[in-house]
Amino acid sequence: MAIPVVYVISDSIGETAEFVAKAAASQFNSGEIEIRRIPYVSDEEHLEQVLSEASEYKAVVAYTLVVPALRQRLAEIAQEKGLIVVDVIGPMLEALGKVSKTTPRLEPGLLHKLDDEYFRKVEAIEFAVKYDDGKDPRGVLYADVVLIGISRTSKTPLCMYLAHKRLKAANIPLVPEVAPPEELFKLPPRKVIGLTIKPEILNPIRQERLKALGLASNADYASMERILHELDYAENIMKKLGCPVIDVSNKAVEETASKILQIYYRGDRNEK
């Protein structure tokens, strides 16, 4: 007795229909069932060739085609050739269309486009964590954007926010006692964005930070003299780099991130 054959036809990769076919085949103990996946069937000529071949094996045809014209043509050919066909995705599209009262986009491969976006986001988040707070300055060479600024200018939360927008963001703290990494000066100015803040706003923020750490709020870290010194130092570094500068005073992370994205995508170097 010939081994049953299943042709899996898709206008994308075809993994979904193949998985369903394998899951069904696993329920039978009457010998092997051969599954042949035919991906990227995007025109009627290719479809007709595949179905003609499938008919020679009296194969079952499982398909995930979202383009209506291809689905209709497959049904016509299958009827002509007496093929058994299984529409893997069609019933779900119809059901979701009814409950959502919307029309599906009918674009092949959307699931994998979404997967790609997801993995790019994960990669960007991992990048932000790895190269946070200047842990490894070599990372700035591989970043889409590098944020620089003194302590408590929202560098880390901004990098994480940008990572969710699929941008690889690194950040470098500017401290007068520590020279900036050489890698920073190798970058084109458009990839570096300076963050600054008004001293009278930063002062209470740093005091609260010290309290959270269980330290005296009058420590040098939160003194106005120290803050002004750090801001002057950072301003000089940013001028040397020639990078755009954003004042984060009283700005939500989302608002600052929006300005960073404008600079990155549009080359808008003027802080507004």
Side-chain angles (χ1 to χ4, degrees):
M1 183 178 176
I3 296 175
V5 178
V6 178
Y7 270 65
V8 171
I9 301 175
S10 176
D11 44 21
S12 183
I13 295 175
E15 289 177 334
T16 303
E18 182 180 31
F19 181 81
V20 172
K22 285 182 176 178
S26 70
Q27 300 297 315
F28 294 86
N29 299 317
S30 57
E32 280 190 39
I33 294 178
E34 183 180 350
I35 297 173
R36 301 180 183 180
R37 173 155 52 116
I38 315 295
Y40 303 115
V41 177
S42 57
D43 59 71
E44 293 188 13
E45 183 179 356
H46 189 190
L47 178 64
E48 290 168 6
Q49 291 173 353
V50 174
L51 291 177
S52 179
E53 182 181 316
S55 68
E56 295 177 9
Y57 294 93
K58 296 181 172 54
V60 171
V61 175
Y63 64 95
T64 51
L65 299 173
V66 297
V67 178
L70 284 179
R71 288 155 58 86
Q72 178 62 34
R73 185 58 184 144
L74 184 146
E76 292 171 357
I77 298 172
Q79 187 172 9
E80 291 171 7
K81 296 183 178 296
L83 289 169
I84 299 173
V85 296
V86 179
D87 185 352
V88 176
I89 200 171
M92 183 59 73
L93 284 174
E94 292 175 11
L96 291 177
K98 288 177 181 177
V99 297
S100 66
K101 295 181 173 57
T102 57
T103 302
R105 292 163 66 178
L106 303 177
E107 295 178 34
L110 280 180
L111 176 61
H112 292 281
K113 290 178 184 176
L114 292 173
D115 285 346
D116 288 344
E117 289 184 4
Y118 170 77
F119 286 118
R120 283 199 297 272
K121 183 188 294 186
V122 170
E123 185 180 10
I125 291 171
E126 291 176 346
F127 186 93
V129 172
K130 183 176 182 180
Y131 297 112
D132 180 43
D133 207 30
K135 289 176 186 172
D136 184 350
R138 292 172 298 179
V140 303
L141 299 175
Y142 308 104
D144 294 317
V145 63
V146 179
L147 307 183
I148 60 173
I150 66 174
S151 175
R152 314 314 291 176
T153 49
S154 302
K155 297 185 298 298
T156 296
L158 281 167
C159 282
M160 294 306 297
Y161 187 95
L162 293 170
H164 280 83
K165 299 295 183 181
R166 299 179 296 282
L167 280 189
K168 292 180 180 178
N171 71 81
I172 300 291
L174 297 180
V175 183
E177 292 78 15
V178 180
E182 294 179 4
E183 289 85 353
L184 194 61
F185 296 90
K186 297 178 181 178
L187 299 175
R190 64 179 178 79
K191 289 187 69 172
V192 182
I193 296 176
L195 304 175
T196 189
I197 189 171
K198 291 181 172 56
E200 62 271 20
I201 292 175
L202 180 58
N203 177 251
I205 292 175
R206 285 196 172 184
Q207 288 180 352
E208 288 301 316
R209 175 60 175 165
L210 288 172
K211 288 179 184 177
L213 295 173
L215 303 172
S217 60
N218 60 352
D220 184 53
Y221 172 75
S223 71
M224 188 60 76
E225 182 181 358
R226 173 67 186 185
I227 288 172
L228 290 172
H229 177 51
E230 289 187 26
L231 286 171
D232 285 342
Y233 171 78
E235 183 180 358
N236 287 332
I237 295 295
M238 293 171 194
K239 284 181 178 177
K240 285 182 182 178
L241 290 168
C243 65
V245 179
I246 298 175
D247 188 342
V248 302
S249 303
N250 294 323
K251 287 187 175 72
V253 168
E254 294 84 356
E255 186 179 356
T256 304
S258 177
K259 293 182 179 295
I260 293 171
L261 291 169
Q262 284 179 13
I263 293 170
Y264 179 79
Y265 286 113
R266 303 179 192 172
D268 182 2
R269 298 173 57 82
N270 297 316
E271 193 266 319
K272 298 175 182 178

